[in-house]
Amino acid sequence: MGNFLSIVQLIEIMVLISYLNPFSSEGEEIVREKGSIEGIFEVNPELLQLVRDSKSQNISDDSYIPKNYADLALKRVEWYLRRKNDKKYNHNDYAFLINPKIAKFDVISIYTMAQAIGIKFNPKSREGRLLVESQGKLVEDRLEKLVPIERKEVVNNLLNQMITQDNIKWTSMSQLLGSKKINLTDMILDQGDVVLEKEDFLIRFEDKIEGRLPEKMYDLLIGEKIKEMIISRMIMQKTENYIHKVHEMAPKIEAHPTLLEIGEQISEKIKELSYFPGSGGSGGFGGDIKATQLQHEAFPPCIQKTIEGVGSGNRNDAIVLLLTSFLSYARLYPSVFRNEGTSKISDIDPDLQITINEIIPLIFEAANNCNPPLFDDDPQEKLNVIAKLGFGVNKDPELKHEGESKWYTPMSCDKIKIHLSSLCKPDATCKKIGNPLSYYNRKRWELRNSGDKTPSKSSESDSDTD
Amino acid sequence: MTHIFEPSTLEERRRYYRDEWDINDLPDFIRKDLSKREFGFDHLGRGPNDRYRVFKTPDMLKRFMRYRSPFAAYCSVAFYNKPRKRGEWLKSELVFDVDAKDVPVRSCGCDSVCEICLDEARQIVAGLIDTLKQDLGLKNIHVIYSGRGYHIRILDESAMGLDSEGRSQVLKYVAGAEPPKNKYFMEDESGQKPYELEHFSIPLGYPAVFTKRIKYAILHMNGTEKMEEVNPKLMKDVLKYREMVQKDEWGLFKNKIGPIRYRNLVEGISKLNMGLVDAKVSIDLKRILRMPTSLHSKVSMRCMEVKNIETFDPLKEAVPKFVNERKGY
Ligand code: SF4
Ligand SMILES: [Zn+2]
């Protein structure tokens, strides 16, 4: 009878639900009860006690202990960034986050964060992305720490709550597919349903499987891990949607100063913790912000190929769309994807000297390497290059025309694979990035840290300095 | 000898739209909500420049076609509240475009289209539809012969709201354009070595789809296909041992090829498979596609709905009468 849960355990499951999914009705209940913005900065003795009581929690210093809801929110940011980027990260500094009893505080802090971010930033800002990603990671870490029987039970409960139909249709996950949180090919599909349960799997496929135990096949292909993945991704999506909702309503209501304050603090925290020397690199938080000399050895394969010259098929797009945006951002504003809002070239290159003397010559040279040379065939593509730099359809970049068009950002690897597929020859670094510009940032960072102390030998750029 | 696949003259177009074409052949899925689609036309054979057209009723479309006899006619996969401005987008058909000329593995090796690659395109389409039904559970699927290949047009409501990324994921799934995993982990055994399990040992889900697509590719290759991961020696061996694939003796085949080279082959073919379908068409929510019943003037073929893809023969069913009446035939 060991498989049945006692009443006490059932109550614990209820607690666990809000611990894992703050957007569940259990979570909403907590917000209704205690969700007053007023006490956010007040020392909360109950929270202090809970943190101290958390198993293996490091309490050697007061700074390890969040004292109020706002502190807790910042601790979550800190936890996520250090876990990701800091080699010296120690889980025991944040053991309280993996204590199910934290739920009633945690729920309040995540709603507070989501509101603060939704009001101050947009859902795709790095603050927004951080909250969404960290929530997903937290769900994974928290599930991992549960005892197997609880884990199974709570996973089924969460799934049942989030998915109302009997069978999950893959089309009901369109948002998760669209935001690439889930790959369709990782799912076992049959007749439009996402197959998750063992019984269901056996009924559908038992007859087809030969030479292997169908049960084992289920465990390998699906098992709890696919369910848990779906859960964590759905909760990420819910977090994102919530920020979105707040963001849409924000202009219509007056923001509470406390929320603005917290938004500010989150943003500061991210800046403070974004770069950890000696860490294994990050998916978009480290790296330098300043304009620096181009480092050709850090160009991704697709750009190298473009510079060598492209055949007539892909030629125009490769130069006008890909290379122009890549070189200009790599030289002037490599961190564009990490920051908010749009910018102009003249914000960074006020007299356009770098643009005119360094960037454009490189683009034109590559255009000449094409077969046949691009501007021989299509002289008006010169104007399009200038337009993609943000200076409208003109012969030269001039400040008075700036803003007539948009400074075009480099297209993603996915787009390149579709529109310029012959240029994409991915190498090992490509596996870790989604945009040639991120490749460049990452590779520069790797080169810096690989002991190869040859900062931009600038072999190619010699020519344009004299 | 035959005058097939040759461009039609203005005179022939006029005859086609006067004598052969019937608005009643327009498939119901186009006729319904006709006024919510955008139409586009190519009058001179230089691309569809006449766009943003809207027809309130089939009758108005009929008059336009009769009167203008366009070189080519298109309509949007999208439905709009304001089609004249492409405004207030509502939803778009999910489409897959298989052009015989662009199929990455063609045994004919011709440089345009011929009977052989047209039929290979047909087989590919049949395979894609099978997966769309069996795995993805889609039901409202229409196949259109486009004149040089096929359009699969899906009108299931649940799929018409997908965004570009979602569509690209469906494309990868049905085309077999992602290398399948070959290592799997057991539950509750973290730290354990992963189990090796190749796609061909898994008779369901995406791995089974991939097995069908790679089998097709291996059996239809002619050795000239270019794959980064596959060098000439490997290509030679694949051709040498492909009979085993024909007999579904995958284990033997993999043994002959060797595990590392087999992985290379899988990667290479998955990339090739990306070209089975024109991805640009699938991810474009506002695309216009050749209108069924219209004439593909470049090759003088009728664009038409295919009722049974298993038996469809374009050279019997899609050749307009005027082609057979051409002088010297
Ligand atoms: S994966 Fe991205 S960065 Fe790498 S070659 Fe392809 S397009 Fe370029
Ligand atoms: Zn052919």
Side-chain angles (χ1 to χ4, degrees):
Chain A
M1 304 285 269
N3 276 333
F4 291 99
L5 294 160
S6 67
I7 297 285
V8 181
Q9 281 169 317
L10 277 175
I11 292 170
E12 272 170 18
I13 297 287
M14 305 302 280
V15 174
L16 287 175
I17 299 267
S18 56
Y19 169 61
L20 291 158
N21 180 10
F23 303 97
S24 57
S25 51
E26 287 81 352
E28 285 170 353
E29 187 63 27
I30 295 179
V31 177
R32 255 194 304 280
E33 266 175 34
K34 328 202 160 178
S36 150
I37 194 84
E38 306 303 338
I40 293 275
F41 287 110
E42 266 162 44
V43 174
N44 188 319
E46 201 187 340
L47 174 63
L48 285 174
Q49 195 54 45
L50 190 148
V51 172
R52 291 209 183 90
D53 291 347
S54 298
K55 209 170 139 228
S56 339
Q57 172 64 38
N58 182 356
I59 46 171
S60 62
D61 186 301
D62 258 4
S63 68
Y64 289 120
I65 304 171
K67 293 158 198 68
N68 52 40
Y69 291 115
D71 258 8
L72 182 57
L74 294 175
K75 276 285 169 198
R76 287 176 56 121
V77 175
E78 191 184 297
W79 163 79
Y80 182 65
L81 287 170
R82 290 194 53 206
R83 187 187 187 285
K84 188 167 167 186
N85 296 337
D86 186 358
K87 269 198 180 145
K88 290 190 299 245
Y89 164 78
N90 178 355
H91 167 69
N92 292 344
D93 298 351
Y94 304 93
F96 59 86
L97 285 176
I98 312 294
N99 176 357
K101 296 211 177 71
I102 195 83
K104 59 182 173 185
F105 302 103
D106 193 50
V107 169
I108 304 289
S109 81
I110 188 174
Y111 274 87
T112 312
M113 290 169 88
Q115 290 182 12
I117 290 170
I119 288 170
K120 236 179 124 60
F121 311 99
N122 79 49
K124 292 277 177 225
S125 63
R126 69 173 162 172
E127 288 77 8
R129 278 184 295 145
L130 181 130
L131 182 60
V132 171
E133 285 170 25
S134 65
Q135 188 60 28
K137 258 289 162 265
L138 209 45
V139 171
E140 288 170 20
D141 282 11
R142 285 175 174 176
L143 280 171
E144 197 133 304
K145 284 284 170 345
L146 297 178
V147 292
I149 179 168
E150 263 182 348
R151 182 166 169 175
K152 264 204 155 118
E153 191 62 28
V154 82
V155 161
N156 281 332
N157 259 295
L158 283 168
L159 269 183
N160 285 338
Q161 281 197 347
M162 288 192 279
I163 298 155
T164 39
Q165 326 88 305
D166 259 357
N167 289 314
I168 315 182
K169 297 277 175 205
W170 67 273
T171 43
S172 70
M173 296 189 181
S174 56
Q175 240 192 343
L176 295 173
L177 295 170
S179 59
K180 291 208 268 189
K181 290 188 177 72
I182 282 188
N183 280 333
L184 199 57
T185 53
D186 287 341
M187 229 84 48
I188 298 297
L189 304 178
D190 183 47
Q191 307 290 336
D193 298 329
V194 179
V195 182
L196 288 177
E197 302 302 335
K198 189 177 250 174
E199 297 69 36
D200 189 29
F201 178 88
L202 294 177
I203 292 168
R204 290 177 196 250
F205 301 122
E206 202 162 22
D207 298 344
K208 284 191 177 176
I209 300 171
E210 287 168 16
R212 238 168 257 273
L213 281 178
E215 288 83 1
K216 186 166 175 195
M217 185 80 95
Y218 168 82
D219 288 340
L220 286 172
L221 297 181
I222 306 173
E224 295 295 303
K225 54 187 177 289
I226 297 282
K227 290 192 202 169
E228 290 187 4
M229 180 190 73
I230 292 177
I231 286 176
S232 79
R233 305 305 145 88
M234 283 188 154
I235 293 173
M236 285 169 78
Q237 194 67 53
K238 282 179 186 294
T239 313
E240 193 173 312
N241 294 352
Y242 186 77
I243 301 175
H244 210 97
K245 208 170 81 193
V246 174
H247 189 69
E248 283 191 334
M249 279 167 19
K252 291 178 221 134
I253 43 173
E254 200 179 335
H256 198 288
T258 305
L259 287 175
L260 294 174
E261 170 71 25
I262 291 190
E264 191 56 40
Q265 290 186 8
I266 291 172
S267 194
E268 283 301 312
K269 196 79 190 168
I270 295 176
K271 275 192 206 123
E272 177 192 326
L273 289 169
S274 281
Y275 186 63
F276 280 94
S279 72
S282 67
F285 292 100
D288 46 70
I289 314 289
K290 294 195 315 292
T292 40
Q293 287 295 327
L294 284 173
Q295 222 173 318
H296 291 249
E297 57 277 29
F299 288 177
C302 51
I303 298 294
Q304 309 261 20
K305 277 195 83 130
T306 307
I307 289 180
E308 285 160 22
V310 187
S312 59
N314 287 324
R315 188 191 57 186
N316 298 34
D317 284 353
I319 300 290
V320 176
L321 295 182
L322 178 59
L323 191 69
T324 301
S325 57
F326 176 84
L327 286 177
S328 55
Y329 276 98
R331 176 65 183 83
L332 296 171
Y333 191 17
S335 61
V336 52
F337 293 128
R338 264 175 253 136
N339 299 38
E340 266 286 305
T342 53
S343 41
K344 310 192 297 282
I345 285 202
S346 66
D347 292 342
I348 306 143
D349 182 18
D351 52 8
L352 306 183
Q353 286 308 302
I354 305 177
T355 307
I356 294 169
N357 296 324
E358 290 183 39
I359 298 170
I360 293 180
L362 274 175
I363 300 168
F364 282 16
E365 191 185 318
N368 243 332
N369 289 341
C370 290
N371 184 16
L374 173 59
F375 301 138
D376 291 3
D377 270 19
D378 272 328
Q380 97 286 353
E381 288 287 33
K382 263 192 188 167
L383 309 186
N384 288 333
V385 168
I386 305 300
K388 295 293 179 235
L389 294 170
F391 298 95
V393 186
N394 289 296
K395 231 177 106 270
D396 296 297
E398 283 181 275
L399 286 173
K400 65 171 187 238
H401 293 305
E402 190 167 34
E404 285 176 15
S405 54
K406 237 186 82 206
W407 184 15
Y408 195 85
T409 49
M411 55 177 129
S412 65
C413 295
D414 281 346
K415 288 233 170 70
I416 294 171
K417 286 184 169 81
I418 291 172
H419 296 285
L420 298 166
S421 53
S422 66
L423 294 174
C424 172
K425 302 286 172 219
D427 63 11
T429 307
C430 289
K431 292 217 167 70
K432 303 173 191 148
I433 50 88
N435 186 292
L437 196 60
S438 339
Y439 180 109
Y440 179 68
N441 289 328
R442 189 178 180 103
K443 191 77 181 195
R444 279 191 307 159
W445 190 86
E446 284 174 5
L447 289 173
R448 255 202 310 278
N449 286 281
S450 65
D452 176 11
K453 293 279 180 285
T454 43
S456 62
K457 276 181 291 187
S458 65
S459 49
E460 290 98 325
S461 48
D462 281 348
S463 55
D464 43 67
T465 49
D466 51 29
Chain B
M1 178 206 90
T2 60
H3 288 252
I4 215 158
F5 296 137
E6 271 169 29
S8 7
T9 62
L10 176 60
E11 187 39 45
E12 288 174 329
R13 270 149 51 198
R14 289 208 175 114
R15 261 170 68 200
Y16 175 78
Y17 283 108
R18 194 187 56 222
D19 304 341
E20 287 189 55
W21 181 79
D22 185 348
I23 185 79
N24 294 315
D25 293 338
L26 197 66
D28 282 342
F29 77 92
I30 304 260
R31 185 185 286 267
K32 186 168 169 282
D33 289 328
L34 183 83
S35 63
K36 291 204 162 14
R37 296 194 194 243
E38 182 214 356
F39 284 76
F41 300 92
D42 176 358
H43 296 294
L44 303 166
R46 298 199 199 120
N49 304 324
D50 178 12
R51 293 198 57 173
Y52 298 99
R53 290 220 177 236
V54 178
F55 298 96
K56 289 249 168 309
T57 63
D59 212 46
M60 291 164 93
L61 175 63
K62 173 176 152 187
R63 260 178 277 152
F64 183 93
M65 298 301 280
R66 284 265 155 84
Y67 182 64
R68 301 290 297 263
S69 303
F71 186 83
Y74 304 84
C75 74
S76 63
V77 298
F79 298 83
Y80 308 92
N81 266 338
K82 300 190 172 138
R84 206 177 294 284
K85 295 195 183 104
R86 269 184 250 166
E88 295 181 25
W89 177 85
L90 298 166
K91 58 188 180 183
S92 295
E93 297 172 27
L94 171 62
V95 294
F96 300 99
D97 174 15
V98 178
D99 193 323
K101 175 170 68 47
D102 300 324
V103 167
V105 176
R106 305 195 306 163
S107 56
C108 61
C110 79
D111 53 11
S112 166
V113 284
C114 68
E115 222 168 313
I116 298 171
C117 48
L118 268 181
D119 194 59
E120 288 177 351
R122 185 193 60 78
Q123 291 173 39
I124 290 167
V125 167
L128 297 174
I129 291 176
D130 196 49
T131 305
L132 289 164
K133 288 185 178 161
Q134 288 305 316
D135 288 34
L136 296 164
L138 296 167
K139 299 195 168 71
N140 198 348
I141 303 178
H142 300 267
V143 184
I144 307 297
Y145 174 69
S146 69
R148 287 211 302 207
Y150 295 87
H151 298 151
I152 303 173
R153 310 179 63 150
I154 299 157
L155 287 96
D156 288 69
E157 287 296 335
S158 60
M160 287 210 282
L162 285 172
D163 63 8
S164 292
E165 177 54 36
R167 286 164 197 250
S168 126
Q169 292 223 28
V170 177
L171 186 153
K172 286 181 193 158
Y173 188 102
V174 298
E178 198 133 287
K181 285 198 286 189
N182 61 351
K183 295 194 174 57
Y184 291 86
F185 288 90
M186 203 62 185
E187 287 304 290
D188 309 326
E189 285 184 35
S190 42
Q192 282 263 351
K193 272 206 353 204
Y195 284 75
E196 299 248 351
L197 200 55
E198 286 289 359
H199 61 91
F200 51 74
S201 316
I202 306 173
L204 49 101
Y206 178 67
V209 174
F210 187 80
T211 303
K212 284 185 207 146
R213 302 292 177 264
I214 189 174
K215 179 173 178 180
Y216 179 91
I218 290 175
L219 296 181
H220 288 80
M221 290 195 304
N222 60 24
T224 60
E225 292 76 11
K226 291 266 167 294
M227 286 176 274
E228 191 93 341
E229 299 78 0
V230 177
N231 60 26
K233 169 85 173 73
L234 175 52
M235 180 61 102
K236 227 177 103 197
D237 287 346
V238 171
L239 296 181
K240 182 164 157 203
Y241 297 117
R242 67 176 162 189
E243 215 165 282
M244 297 171 174
V245 171
Q246 170 85 62
K247 289 188 251 162
D248 290 320
E249 295 168 345
W250 289 94
L252 279 181
F253 178 72
K254 184 185 162 189
N255 266 339
K256 289 283 183 208
I257 299 291
I260 296 174
R261 294 205 309 163
Y262 187 75
R263 200 63 204 162
N264 290 339
L265 180 67
V266 162
E267 301 252 342
I269 291 187
S270 66
K271 281 189 201 158
L272 223 50
N273 284 346
M274 192 71 197
L276 281 177
V277 171
D278 186 342
K280 281 181 210 167
V281 176
S282 294
I283 62 169
D284 186 349
L285 301 180
K286 305 197 164 171
R287 196 82 176 183
I288 51 174
L289 283 184
R290 197 173 290 282
M291 182 178 95
T293 71
S294 72
L295 183 68
H296 191 316
S297 299
K298 240 183 233 155
V299 287
S300 297
M301 282 270 202
R302 198 200 316 265
C303 171
M304 61 181 286
E305 179 156 22
V306 174
K307 286 298 172 204
N308 184 348
I309 188 69
E310 298 300 336
T311 58
F312 181 73
D313 180 355
L315 299 184
K316 291 215 180 78
E317 297 170 56
V319 180
K321 284 199 204 95
F322 68 77
V323 170
N324 295 330
E325 292 158 9
R326 276 174 179 168
K327 282 208 183 71
Y329 179 66

